[in-house]
Amino acid sequence: MELAAFLWALGTVPVAMAGGGAVALGPQPWILLPAGPLQLFVGAGEPRIGGRAHLARGPWFVWADLPPPRLTLGRAVGPAWLAFAANHHELSLAWEVMASPLLSLFGSLGREIGCGVRLRGSRLWTAALIRHGGLTLWCGAYF
């Protein structure tokens, strides 16, 4: 999975659950545009364009992504956000734990493995992600 798609699918669980938007600057910039129950992903990696349809909201969240075809079931449990993302040949657990209002740890387990730390302001954020033995730095904004 490309780096931008990894962050879209597994590294922004709270944004996915909330149905919000985000813009990210880093090795593969991308933007996530909200449109009601839909989110449109446009990125520099593969896929270049993707979509997310929210099928159920809170306390359990369900959404479907294209491409690749993926169904995700998520839940916020206290300061933790958890989501199981599955397609026809893989299952991943995406997670984010809010250590404080400004700091969170995020990552995924399964076929895609990664771990990162995110520092947040009111709408701005910066993150460091370790994946495939490499470190990447990101920054962006939520809207």
Side-chain angles (χ1 to χ4, degrees):
M1 185 184 296
E2 293 282 334
L3 189 55
F6 170 83
L7 287 172
W8 169 56
L10 304 173
T12 56
V13 175
V15 173
M17 286 187 190
V23 61
L25 301 174
Q28 294 175 358
W30 54 269
I31 188 166
L32 186 62
L33 301 169
L38 303 175
Q39 289 174 305
L40 176 66
F41 169 83
V42 179
E46 290 297 326
R48 293 206 184 281
I49 296 177
R52 176 174 290 146
H54 290 266
L55 306 176
R57 292 189 185 265
W60 291 93
F61 299 84
V62 179
W63 62 89
D65 294 336
L66 284 172
R70 176 178 41 243
L71 189 63
T72 305
L73 171 67
R75 171 100 191 207
V77 183
W81 301 72
L82 302 171
F84 288 98
N87 63 21
H88 63 282
H89 65 280
E90 65 184 47
L91 175 67
S92 294
L93 168 67
W95 54 273
E96 184 157 352
V97 177
M98 313 303 173
S100 76
L102 301 176
L103 176 68
S104 64
L105 302 173
F106 68 95
S108 72
L109 299 170
R111 182 169 180 196
E112 287 290 332
I113 298 174
C115 184
V117 61
R118 188 178 349 260
L119 297 170
R120 290 182 309 281
S122 60
R123 298 225 178 250
L124 301 176
W125 58 269
T126 185
L129 172 67
I130 298 172
R131 182 172 162 262
H132 296 285
L135 173 69
T136 56
L137 302 176
W138 297 80
C139 65
Y142 301 118
F143 57 90

